[in-house]
Amino acid sequence: MSTQEHMKKLLISAMLAFLVLGCSSPQANGQATDETAEQRKERILTNLKFLFPQLQEHDVVMGELEASGIDGLEQGSFVINGRQTQKFLVTADDKQLFLLAADPLDVSRTSEELAALQTEQEAAAAREAQERGAELAQAVAGLPVRGNPDAPVTIVEFSDFQCPYCARAYNTVEEVLAKYPDDVKLVYVHFPLPNHPWAKPAAIAAVCAAQQNDGAFWTLHDGYFENQGSINPGNVIEKSKAFLDGADIDLEAWAACAGDAGSEAYQGAEAAVEGALQMGNKFGVSGTPGFFVNGRFVSGAQPLETFEALISQAKQDVQ
């Protein structure tokens, strides 16, 4: 852990606990009380560096102290290395300084006002999900679909064939599709991560299969997740070909597309995978698996109950 990270951890711990730091006051130390504002700031900072020795290793700038709107307390902040800002409240005599974890919260609303605000927030979230869902639907048009093509709920999954969490999610998604055969459809979008060496070749191979037959795509999709532990960068194309044995496609054409990096077909499939990655980045996906249920985002290998709640909400949104 770096010194900066350690310092940040210490400050966060202090903030969460709202520690009261016993800063020495000029009165307590017999100091003159006619010090300037700059001298007071310097004294407070000196105390903080004593209490948090790690601060001595960094560039720390103390901001101005000003009225906080709270009787008996002033507010201020200091900036570490020009990046991390820490806010605080301090008593007028400087005997107590409170590190703040966040800006002040308004806790004055009545139950009725909170209920109205919640309704407003839920409506805004529904509108945002609807807009995102429509944009996603346009972006994934033409990709293979599993489930009822006319289902009112669409799950768009950004996934990586080598990701162990995606393999776990694969089983959950199968449960979802079995439970909601009429209500849900799945669209799979490639998001191979750079630290998974056979994920991208597998994604390219799957694109090549989908160009011929959607069923062949799902055959590879299932084969990769169900046999994830036995696949490696050296055998991914061989394994893919074995999964496709008996599929209704031209295996020779598929092999040229999936395995010949110099072929136009391969380059087109690779461009499709890169386009899918860009799509995921555009929609804020940063890891796998990532799901959009009618535009509502959920990250990670979630349990069935999470999808049930999202599907229920999505069905309400479209009513």
Side-chain angles (χ1 to χ4, degrees):
M1 180 183 294
S2 69
T3 301
Q4 184 177 0
E5 289 171 336
H6 182 64
M7 183 60 218
K8 184 176 181 181
K9 184 177 180 181
L10 285 174
L11 286 174
I12 289 174
S13 297
M15 288 186 284
L16 292 178
F18 286 92
L19 292 182
V20 179
L21 304 182
C23 299
S24 300
S25 71
Q27 293 87 344
N29 289 334
Q31 299 173 354
T33 59
D34 58 351
E35 65 182 348
T36 67
E38 288 301 317
Q39 289 172 332
R40 182 187 179 200
K41 287 162 49 181
E42 183 61 30
R43 176 175 46 74
I44 291 174
L45 184 55
T46 300
N47 274 265
L48 287 169
K49 287 182 177 180
F50 175 80
L51 292 162
F52 293 100
Q54 294 85 352
L55 282 175
Q56 298 175 21
E57 304 172 14
H58 301 279
D59 178 28
V60 183
V61 177
M62 179 70 69
E64 298 298 325
L65 298 172
E66 55 189 25
S68 68
I70 304 172
D71 289 343
L73 292 173
E74 294 175 275
Q75 64 184 5
S77 66
F78 55 92
V79 180
I80 305 172
N81 296 332
R83 295 190 298 273
Q84 181 183 345
T85 300
Q86 174 59 58
K87 297 181 179 181
F88 62 83
L89 294 173
V90 62
T91 55
D93 59 7
D94 296 338
K95 287 186 176 181
Q96 291 182 313
L97 186 147
F98 304 85
L99 295 174
L100 300 180
D103 290 330
L105 302 175
D106 180 0
V107 292
S108 67
R109 301 180 184 91
T110 65
S111 297
E112 292 76 12
E113 289 172 332
L114 289 172
L117 181 59
Q118 182 175 358
T119 299
E120 180 182 333
Q121 291 175 341
E122 289 173 351
R127 288 193 299 270
E128 183 180 353
Q130 186 176 19
E131 292 171 2
R132 188 186 298 113
E135 191 175 357
L136 271 167
Q138 185 175 8
V140 303
L143 294 181
V145 172
R146 174 168 275 180
N148 175 16
D150 300 318
V153 179
T154 301
I155 298 177
V156 177
E157 175 185 3
F158 287 84
S159 189
D160 171 314
F161 289 130
Q162 192 177 345
C163 167
Y165 298 101
C166 298
R168 187 187 306 172
Y170 161 73
N171 295 313
T172 304
V173 171
E174 289 299 296
E175 290 183 70
V176 170
L177 292 172
K179 184 170 183 176
Y180 301 95
D182 298 321
D183 295 326
V184 175
K185 65 181 175 183
L186 171 70
V187 181
Y188 182 98
V189 183
H190 299 289
F191 202 81
L193 301 175
N195 59 323
H196 292 162
W198 64 262
K200 185 175 179 181
I204 291 170
V207 169
C208 293
Q211 290 173 351
Q212 294 196 48
N213 185 306
D214 283 1
F217 166 83
W218 292 111
T219 295
L220 284 184
H221 168 278
D222 297 353
Y224 293 141
F225 284 133
E226 292 171 6
N227 301 275
Q228 198 178 70
S230 66
I231 304 172
N232 58 59
N235 69 12
V236 61
I237 299 302
E238 178 185 348
K239 287 280 189 180
S240 301
K241 187 175 182 179
F243 296 149
L244 290 170
D245 185 33
D248 186 19
I249 64 169
D250 183 338
L251 274 178
E252 185 175 341
W254 170 84
C257 176
D260 182 0
S263 70
E264 184 176 342
Y266 178 96
Q267 292 169 9
E270 183 179 35
V273 172
E274 291 297 328
L277 282 166
Q278 292 175 17
M279 184 198 310
N281 291 330
K282 175 183 176 181
F283 285 101
V285 178
S286 58
T288 56
F291 300 91
F292 291 90
V293 181
N294 273 21
R296 293 181 183 269
F297 181 66
V298 60
S299 181
Q302 299 291 333
L304 177 63
E305 293 76 16
T306 298
F307 286 99
E308 289 173 336
L310 287 166
I311 290 167
S312 176
Q313 182 63 63
K315 290 169 71 175
Q316 290 179 34
D317 291 343
V318 298
Q319 287 179 354

